[in-house]
Amino acid sequence: MYGAGDVRVENVPDSVVKLPTDALVRVTASCICGSDLWPYATMPHGTGPARMGHEFVGVVEDIGSQVSTVKKGDLVVAPWLISDGTCEFCKEGLYASCVHGSMWDLQPDEGGQAEAVRVPFADGTLVTIPATADPALVPSLLTLSDVFGTGHHAAVSGGVTAGSTVAVIGDGAVGLLAVLSAKRLGAERIILMGRHKARTDLGREFGATDVVADRGAEGIEAVRALTGGHGTPIVLEAVGTRTAYDQAVGIVRGGGTISRVGVPQYEEAPVGIGSLFFRGVRLTGGAAPTRAYINELLPEVLDGSLQPGKVFDVTTNLAGVPAGYRDMADRKSLKVLVNS
């Protein structure tokens, strides 16, 4: 990415193993993330080029001398966060706080929207997928890298359990997979706030019981009307804008929880007396440690009982990535799968 609206496909030097803890992964599938659209809309020209892509599945082609948990030929999924797997935070499953961690978007010479990637801290980052996995499952396996794990993190952080009433703000891939995650955890009522019918129809398939297309004050009123006037005990905010946050504050029930996983595009928002404090509202969520959830979610993906890969509505190759960005930015596509 060279700047806002300017994504190019280029030939670059091949990635290689540089450190004993590295692995080289040949990418078989990657994708464009909704969070990639923020720099696509705002990145100043002259600050790039930046390698893009933080979600990928691939085959290990080479490993460093100290790598022990993956080997050549393994099919692996790479979480969006790089983690060493050995620090005190990683041992607690808090991979977003890894003391040596990073994320793909901060790696100047690597990115998942490519033919191959050098993976730092391969033992702590990569997760092996059984060799017997059906190739048709690759789209669903790819969601474990970020969007499914992030939707699951929203639901877990929000405290979703059997019988919960939940509102999900946002009908992007993360919002839809937050619906799927809430349903998986036993939520009885799931109100999806979104206004793109094809997406909200998929949300209903994933478990949404109600859809609210209104936004702002009208949306808040509609959700409160559905919940006896008090709002929902759990709100999963999967957008990241200030208006989405304000909507979450408006629909959360007193004593409830806002779980915020949309990448925030703001630094200041109300958390004071009238907004959260006197109402006893808990604010949680944050960057999802998706590696911590892969082993839990993987069996249901492998047996087909969960199909998070349905969020991909377009498949392209590397040459089609620039058009994929345009179509996602224009809301013509929900999420673009990239076959390398």
Side-chain angles (χ1 to χ4, degrees):
M1 184 177 292
Y2 278 79
D6 187 1
V7 173
R8 311 175 194 176
V9 180
E10 297 182 341
N11 289 317
V12 297
D14 289 342
S15 295
V16 296
V17 167
K18 295 181 179 179
L19 298 174
T21 52
D22 289 348
L24 177 67
V25 174
R26 173 172 52 85
V27 177
T28 56
S30 61
C31 56
I32 301 170
C33 185
S35 63
D36 292 334
L37 300 181
W38 294 119
Y40 187 71
T42 63
M43 181 178 173
H45 282 265
T47 58
R51 302 282 180 89
M52 298 302 294
H54 55 260
E55 305 158 273
F56 60 93
V57 171
V59 176
V60 177
E61 294 287 309
D62 195 10
I63 57 173
S65 60
Q66 294 180 16
V67 175
S68 61
T69 62
V70 298
K71 63 183 185 301
K72 294 179 185 179
D74 280 350
L75 177 65
V76 292
V77 58
W80 70 279
L81 290 168
I82 298 166
S83 53
D84 64 18
T86 60
C87 75
E88 61 180 291
F89 294 101
C90 288
K91 290 177 180 178
E92 296 173 18
L94 301 173
Y95 295 99
S97 299
C98 175
V99 295
H100 298 117
S102 183
M103 61 184 71
W104 294 111
D105 294 335
L106 298 180
Q107 300 299 301
D109 297 324
E110 307 294 340
Q113 293 162 15
E115 293 177 319
V117 180
R118 179 182 71 89
V119 179
F121 301 115
D123 285 337
T125 300
L126 298 173
V127 178
T128 303
I129 303 299
T132 55
D134 186 340
L137 295 176
V138 166
S140 287
L141 293 170
L142 181 56
T143 66
L144 296 172
S145 178
D146 183 354
V147 287
F148 188 17
T150 297
H152 180 71
H153 181 62
V156 170
S157 298
V160 178
T161 58
S164 292
T165 295
V166 182
V168 177
I169 299 175
D171 58 10
V174 171
L176 295 176
L177 293 176
V179 170
L180 181 65
S181 299
K183 180 66 175 180
R184 177 181 176 272
L185 293 172
E188 182 174 308
R189 190 173 195 186
I190 304 171
I191 303 168
L192 173 59
M193 302 194 75
R195 57 182 184 177
H196 302 89
K197 188 176 185 303
R199 301 182 182 194
T200 57
D201 284 350
L202 181 57
R204 288 188 184 277
E205 182 180 339
F206 281 164
T209 55
D210 304 271
V211 170
V212 171
D214 297 317
R215 293 183 177 183
E218 293 79 11
I220 292 170
E221 182 180 352
V223 172
R224 287 187 169 272
L226 289 171
T227 54
H230 298 298
T232 55
I234 301 170
V235 180
L236 312 182
E237 193 276 282
V239 180
T241 62
R242 171 61 192 275
T243 54
Y245 175 84
D246 290 341
Q247 194 155 277
V249 172
I251 66 174
V252 69
R253 186 180 186 274
T257 300
I258 298 171
S259 181
R260 184 183 61 154
V261 296
V263 180
Q265 302 303 302
Y266 54 90
E267 288 295 334
E268 296 181 355
V271 295
I273 290 177
S275 54
L276 303 186
F277 186 78
F278 272 145
R279 299 172 64 210
V281 172
R282 178 172 177 254
L283 181 63
T284 184
T290 57
R291 194 186 195 281
Y293 302 126
I294 291 175
N295 288 332
E296 175 185 348
L297 300 173
L298 181 59
E300 292 165 89
V301 170
L302 290 174
D303 68 18
S305 56
L306 294 177
Q307 299 181 56
K310 288 186 175 183
V311 295
F312 293 107
D313 57 346
V314 172
T315 299
T316 189
N317 55 20
L318 285 171
V321 168
Y325 272 86
R326 288 194 299 272
D327 287 348
M328 284 183 62
D330 292 340
R331 300 298 188 267
K332 295 178 181 178
S333 301
L334 168 56
K335 191 167 178 67
V336 174
L337 176 71
V338 181
N339 286 325
S340 300

